[in-house]
Amino acid sequence: MDINEWWPLLDAESKTWLTLSHGDVVPDDILERIVMLGGAVDTDTWWIQSRSADGFRLSSQAIEWISMAQQV
């Protein structure tokens, strides 16, 4: 499931964190919420920058998408 499908289903607290924490490692609890909503966290997904031992990070494209979604 793409970001435009799981984003509207995500809780307000997680949206706020993702909006304000650009480039930071996404906390496990928020990542779990995204996965529970159907967000695929494969490394070839466009909205993922990286998923490594230090954690999961959103891509710059995802950060831009979130910024635009918050303006609507």
Side-chain angles (χ1 to χ4, degrees), residues 15-47:
K15 285 181 178 180
T16 298
W17 190 93
L18 291 168
T19 300
L20 298 176
S21 305
H22 297 166
D24 293 342
V25 172
V26 177
D28 289 338
D29 62 321
I30 295 177
L31 182 57
E32 288 172 14
R33 290 179 202 147
I34 293 170
V35 170
M36 285 178 27
L37 294 172
V41 289
D42 300 321
T43 54
D44 62 344
T45 303
W46 73 268
W47 49 270

Side-chain angles (χ1 to χ4, degrees), residues 2-4 7 9 11 15 25 30-32 34 42 44 48 52 56-57 60 65 67 71:
D2 202 28
I3 192 171
N4 63 328
W7 180 262
L9 306 173
D11 62 282
K15 285 181 178 180
V25 172
I30 295 177
L31 182 57
E32 288 172 14
I34 293 170
D42 300 321
D44 62 344
I48 296 174
S52 61
F56 166 87
R57 296 178 192 275
S60 58
W65 188 95
S67 294
Q71 293 177 13

